[in-house]
Amino acid sequence: MRTLLAVVCLSFWSGVILAQSPAASVTAPGSGARNTEFQPGKLWYDTEGNLINAHGGGILRVGNTYYWYGEKRARQQEEGVTVYSSRDLYNWHYEGLALQPSPQPGHDIEQGCLMERPKVLFNQKTGKYVMWFHLELKGKGYSAARAGVAVADKPTGPFRYVSSFRPNGHMSRDMTLYLDDNGRAYHIYSARENYDLRIARLSDDFLTATRQDTLLFSNHREAPAVFKTGDRYYLITSGCTGWDPNQATLHVADNLFGPWKELGDPMRGPNAAKTFGGQSTYVLPAPGRPGSFIFLADQWNPKDLKDSRYLWLPVQFREEQPTIEWLDRWNLGFFKPAGAKSAGR
Ligand code: DGJ
């Protein structure tokens, strides 16, 4: 009887301890151990042992270094754009605030504004790094619906705010940038209260939108992420349900300006119909593996936005169609060519 009681008590307390311990992390903070894999949805610490705070982000590759730009979030408020660097995509060094909100009252990016979904490109002609982001003015909710632009001499910044506007008069909320092989760059953005998804070619210096600005489709989509393999462009978007997850959609086109053909939901596995609890933000070409891509999404926590988690998952081509399958953990060995010994699954 005494033994039975002890077993019951032990399993009760271990259940309590398990339930109270934080979700497992990629590596424990301060352990000094280096990450060797991705664990989607788990706590992800930088090389100094702090949680990575770079939401709605995008990645820029410069030589062998990757830069991850994202929204720095407090519980709710947005505190600027952070930048982290990495050579292996698993371990990220905090480089600081790439773009700081302005202390000046009335400034477009004054403290308290929203700078969401920052994306950065390098402009070969000007030698500058150019950041675009979704700007909402302080105290105005989501009504300003502007694109913001900032520029820097180095990938780590500091970025200088240049201007903000509605491209060709269109509302501009969720967005991404895409740099094509020919050096031309594009802004893909949710317009008309998010009912329209549009594309605008950027000016040669990438600082503004040209009048080459076209409606892609009117399906009420946001969170666009573009990638290209061969001659085909792919576009992943989410529905519009605030911070709540919803079903992703994949489109394909031979031309960025369309027509875009809808291919359905590319997600596979548990909770696939809700994008595994996440929302697309970027698709990154995998290092050294042409034709391989990593899908990046945010698993938003609206009660505490800084605790929103990151979902990084490999894009797999099944019958030439991109699919994204849930994996608890994986590493870049996943992308080894077919026939080679697979690792990290
Ligand atoms: C969904 C967008 O994708 C996010 O970037 C953010 O703007 C939230 N809506 C706000 O509700």
Side-chain angles (χ1 to χ4, degrees):
M1 182 61 194
R2 224 184 254 172
T3 321
L4 182 65
L5 201 66
V7 169
V8 170
C9 284
L10 191 66
S11 50
F12 170 76
W13 281 111
S14 57
V16 170
I17 289 163
L18 272 179
Q20 288 182 342
S21 36
S25 60
V26 177
T27 52
S31 68
R34 290 181 65 77
N35 299 323
T36 53
E37 61 181 12
F38 302 106
Q39 292 186 29
K42 301 292 189 218
L43 296 173
W44 197 350
Y45 294 93
D46 67 16
T47 52
E48 283 160 16
N50 299 309
L51 282 172
I52 294 176
N53 195 337
H55 309 282
I59 311 277
L60 175 72
R61 181 178 176 170
V62 182
N64 289 328
T65 305
Y66 290 86
Y67 294 92
W68 177 355
Y69 302 88
E71 301 160 27
K72 182 181 182 201
R73 289 284 183 171
R75 280 181 84 80
Q76 303 298 329
Q77 198 171 324
E78 210 248 295
E79 300 181 329
V81 177
T82 47
V83 55
Y84 294 79
S85 64
S86 173
R87 289 191 160 231
D88 62 11
L89 298 178
Y90 308 120
N91 298 282
W92 291 89
H93 173 69
Y94 181 54
E95 298 280 0
L97 271 185
L99 178 61
Q100 300 228 20
S102 167
Q104 193 187 315
H107 194 284
D108 286 355
I109 62 162
E110 82 172 289
Q111 186 75 51
C113 74
L114 288 173
M115 295 187 277
E116 294 188 346
R117 298 186 174 269
K119 306 288 179 286
V120 175
L121 297 178
F122 177 65
N123 186 298
Q124 291 278 0
K125 288 190 183 132
T126 61
K128 303 280 186 201
Y129 295 85
V130 183
M131 179 189 293
W132 282 56
F133 52 93
H134 165 199
L135 174 66
E136 294 295 348
L137 303 176
K138 182 182 178 183
K140 299 258 163 72
Y142 279 86
S143 64
R146 291 192 197 175
V149 180
V151 72
D153 297 324
K154 293 186 297 171
T156 49
F159 281 76
R160 273 182 299 105
Y161 174 73
V162 176
S163 65
S164 68
F165 47 85
R166 288 184 166 187
N168 295 301
H170 299 290
M171 295 175 87
S172 178
R173 290 199 181 121
D174 278 13
M175 51 135 287
T176 194
L177 294 182
Y178 183 73
L179 180 63
D180 211 343
D181 310 330
N182 57 11
R184 290 184 179 167
Y186 302 88
H187 175 230
I188 294 110
Y189 64 105
S190 298
R192 197 172 62 90
E193 302 289 359
N194 302 341
Y195 283 96
D196 294 347
L197 196 74
R198 302 190 64 90
I199 186 168
R201 189 180 146 197
L202 303 192
S203 54
D204 286 351
D205 58 9
F206 296 177
L207 296 182
T208 190
T210 67
R211 293 179 67 83
Q212 195 182 353
D213 182 326
T214 301
L215 173 70
L216 298 184
F217 43 79
S218 297
N219 297 356
H220 203 202
R221 309 297 295 173
E222 58 183 10
V226 178
F227 60 108
K228 181 186 190 183
T229 177
D231 291 333
R232 286 198 174 141
Y233 298 90
Y234 291 97
L235 167 64
I236 297 175
T237 59
S238 77
C240 301
T241 52
W243 300 114
D244 295 337
N246 55 50
Q247 190 159 32
T249 297
L250 176 72
H251 283 79
V252 65
D254 296 332
N255 186 315
L256 275 172
F257 286 81
W260 286 88
K261 183 180 166 209
E262 189 174 331
L263 298 176
D265 183 353
M267 308 299 159
R268 303 282 181 273
N271 209 15
K274 288 268 163 84
T275 319
F276 319 117
Q279 186 185 30
S280 42
T281 185
Y282 197 73
V283 175
L284 173 69
R289 275 85 160 180
S292 297
F293 299 89
I294 305 173
F295 169 71
L296 277 61
D298 297 284
Q299 209 172 44
W300 298 111
N301 175 359
K303 292 202 178 103
D304 185 2
L305 284 170
K306 72 177 177 317
D307 183 44
S308 303
R309 306 287 170 84
Y310 311 102
L311 307 181
W312 288 34
L313 289 162
V315 178
Q316 305 182 49
F317 287 82
R318 299 253 165 89
E319 289 160 13
E320 293 193 21
Q321 196 141 308
T323 58
I324 296 155
E325 193 181 312
W326 177 261
L327 295 172
D328 289 335
R329 55 208 313 156
W330 65 285
N331 65 36
L332 294 169
F334 186 95
F335 292 120
K336 277 190 180 140
K341 194 169 169 279
S342 69
R345 290 189 189 224

